[in-house]
Amino acid sequence: MHHHPTDFQPSQADASLYDHYAQRLFAYVRLSVPSHQDAEDLVLDVFLAALEQDNLSWLSEKQQLAWLRRVAYHKLMDRYRRASHRPVVSLEQVLETIQLEEALTPELLLERREEIAWLASAVNRLSPLQRQVLQFHLGDGLRFADIAILLEKREEAVRKLYSRTLAQLRTLYHQQEKGVVVS
Amino acid sequence: MTDVSENLTSPDKRSSERFLRDLHRFFPADQEQAERINRVRTRLLAHAAQKLPVQSEGSPSAPEPVQHNAVSQRRSALKRHTQSPALGTIAAVLVVALLIGAFLAVFSSVRQSSTAGPSKSVTSAHPLTLTFSCYDSPGMGFFVLGGSQGRVCVQTAPKAQLRIVVTLCNGPADSSPVLKGTVRADESGYYEWNWRVHSPCGPHPGRGTAMVTAQLDGQFISQSTSFFGD
């Protein structure tokens, strides 16, 4: 049977694989590359590598994500060896948003500024792993099972780390709010 | 499911909600991620479409155009990588090495045919091939991870004998014992070296070259690839 270009189906299969994992790969890559354009190029490269693999469909979903993460990791290591990029949201950016959203009086704004400055400082003191877990879960909305694969940890460990970090921050936040001195 | 915050008193609940909202501000979602995903999707499908004429060439009646052999897959991967300006030099080195390898292979075959009689053909039905490609990063076969962990992967004929020489930043050959001696490719023709880099130029070797020689049944091929980093 002669196959015309229109009969060619792999692009649909490739797109399906891409559609399934793109968001998770973007979240993973975004933590390590300096620009969104670089992130796009790298994600493209990862899925181009996937195009060359005719046995990915044999793998389980978990194994597929692990495979894609591993390829992304190698490409990141190869290209951004020295970079330790971390998306940083500045205190001023946050305050600007709060002012717009909450329409605060100058006195309340001052109060909120203290709260936010404190929270910024607490977040900055978190370990890189804690920040990654919070970014993946809070920012990117990833499931713990996926975060575990991306960080090469056990799912249970990721859950515990997330809960502990959140509880720790929450306690300190409330203490600070009530005027308890927090170091 | 019960929301834990329901058990809190109203001010506590408000405070807890505010805490989560504030914390979210430091871990924002990528607002343009959907657009980015779409952009890359379009590029990916464009690449897949570009592959099509290459796959159809020479086998118009192939029953399963989706299936390619490993060599053609790697060729197409290599072809794409050579489109990257950063890898242009690597491609040039590969082409030169390929020509040298082909010459040596032909020379070796001719020599065998002259010594072993007419039963040996100059143009073997299965010429020995050698490409740099890791199973998890097709088309890429030389990495230096974190400035200290070297990795070279090759795909050649099953059970081919392999030798490797790695030099970093134009220095002497890496003296790691892992890189010494002759090794054999596995049943699928795959082999990879993983070693701790002994770099003469500090923790971040900016460039390096790996030359691998494969030998099997009197055939011989030598290829090299380069690594460029920061």
Side-chain angles (χ1 to χ4, degrees):
Chain A
M1 190 176 98
H2 181 88
H3 286 261
H4 294 284
T6 48
D7 297 327
F8 189 63
Q9 294 303 312
S11 60
Q12 286 172 15
D14 301 331
S16 159
L17 184 81
Y18 174 77
D19 291 342
H20 198 62
Y21 295 106
Q23 194 232 346
R24 284 169 274 186
L25 257 288
F26 262 106
Y28 178 69
V29 167
R30 188 162 79 107
L31 288 182
S32 310
V33 299
S35 78
H36 286 303
Q37 183 58 50
D38 289 342
E40 287 184 23
D41 290 345
L42 202 133
V43 168
L44 177 66
D45 280 353
V46 171
F47 282 94
L48 285 175
L51 281 184
E52 306 298 331
Q53 296 291 319
D54 56 0
N55 55 359
L56 273 187
S57 57
W58 302 347
L59 304 179
S60 69
E61 181 176 341
K62 197 174 166 182
Q63 288 171 324
Q64 284 181 337
L65 180 59
W67 187 92
L68 291 166
R69 188 212 73 88
R70 181 176 275 283
V71 174
Y73 171 80
H74 281 302
K75 290 184 187 295
L76 283 168
M77 284 292 110
D78 208 35
R79 293 184 202 178
Y80 305 102
R81 204 169 304 106
R82 282 184 183 172
S84 56
H85 171 74
R86 192 176 92 208
V88 174
V89 180
S90 76
L91 179 62
E92 293 309 318
Q93 279 175 299
V94 172
L95 285 170
E96 205 173 298
T97 320
I98 286 177
Q99 195 169 6
L100 283 172
E101 282 179 8
E102 300 180 8
L104 298 168
T105 61
E107 292 78 20
L108 282 174
L109 181 64
L110 201 64
E111 205 176 291
R112 289 288 278 136
R113 186 186 179 86
E114 277 180 27
E115 278 175 3
I116 296 299
W118 177 87
L119 189 58
S121 149
V123 165
N124 279 332
R125 284 201 301 268
L126 295 176
S127 71
L129 183 62
Q130 285 175 308
R131 280 196 298 264
Q132 282 172 340
V133 170
L134 288 183
Q135 177 60 51
F136 282 144
H137 193 66
L138 290 176
D140 302 306
L142 300 190
R143 296 178 307 137
F144 289 117
D146 292 333
I147 298 172
I149 294 169
L150 294 177
L151 296 176
E152 290 191 300
K153 306 277 178 200
R154 285 183 302 110
E155 183 180 341
E156 193 50 36
V158 173
R159 279 181 189 279
K160 275 186 186 161
L161 182 70
Y162 175 80
S163 303
R164 275 204 304 266
T165 306
L166 210 60
Q168 178 192 343
L169 286 173
R170 180 182 274 128
T171 305
L172 294 174
Y173 183 86
H174 293 323
Q175 284 177 353
Q176 192 274 343
E177 208 177 30
K178 289 170 185 165
V180 179
V181 178
V182 180
S183 60
Chain B
M1 193 161 67
T2 312
D3 185 350
V4 176
S5 59
E6 281 175 12
N7 297 325
L8 301 170
T9 58
S10 187
D12 280 348
K13 186 179 174 182
R14 274 203 302 277
S15 169
S16 185
E17 284 170 355
R18 196 166 64 178
F19 162 70
L20 278 177
R21 214 169 42 237
D22 285 349
L23 190 59
H24 258 284
R25 297 181 201 280
F26 289 94
F27 299 98
D30 179 3
Q31 299 296 336
E32 293 167 23
Q33 193 184 59
E35 291 164 38
R36 276 184 248 291
I37 287 176
N38 272 336
R39 263 201 303 275
V40 174
R41 189 179 199 276
T42 308
R43 290 169 67 189
L44 184 70
L45 292 181
H47 275 83
Q50 277 175 9
K51 270 173 59 174
L52 181 60
V54 177
Q55 289 161 354
S56 301
E57 272 176 12
S59 58
S61 60
E64 294 293 343
V66 180
Q67 294 176 356
H68 326 289
N69 63 40
V71 174
S72 70
Q73 284 177 1
R74 286 185 194 96
R75 277 182 188 150
S76 61
L78 183 62
K79 190 176 171 186
R80 271 203 305 279
H81 281 291
T82 57
Q83 289 167 358
S84 163
L87 296 175
T89 314
I90 296 175
V93 170
L94 282 175
V95 168
V96 171
L98 188 66
L99 289 172
I100 294 169
F103 171 77
L104 290 172
V106 170
F107 175 75
S108 171
S109 298
V110 168
R111 200 174 56 176
Q112 279 171 14
S113 71
S114 63
T115 55
S119 61
K120 294 231 177 182
S121 168
V122 173
T123 53
S124 168
H126 299 289
L128 186 57
T129 59
L130 177 66
T131 54
F132 290 90
S133 183
C134 292
Y135 72 94
D136 52 5
S137 301
M140 299 179 77
F142 187 10
F143 301 90
V144 177
L145 307 175
S148 63
Q149 191 63 38
R151 185 185 186 209
V152 170
C153 322
V154 292
Q155 182 69 53
T156 182
K159 298 291 177 191
Q161 287 187 313
L162 301 164
R163 294 181 72 86
I164 186 170
V165 177
V166 175
T167 55
L168 292 168
C169 30
N170 299 322
D174 193 314
S175 59
S176 168
V178 175
L179 305 175
K180 288 182 176 164
T182 304
V183 292
R184 266 188 199 279
D186 66 14
E187 297 288 346
S188 68
Y190 184 79
Y191 191 83
E192 70 174 69
W193 290 266
N194 289 280
W195 76 103
R196 191 147 191 85
V197 166
H198 296 105
S199 167
C201 51
H204 292 286
R207 61 166 56 203
T209 304
M211 175 170 271
V212 175
T213 305
Q215 205 168 1
L216 183 70
D217 298 335
Q219 289 191 80
F220 168 90
I221 185 168
S222 187
Q223 298 277 30
S224 66
T225 188
S226 295
F227 153 81
F228 293 94
D230 50 12

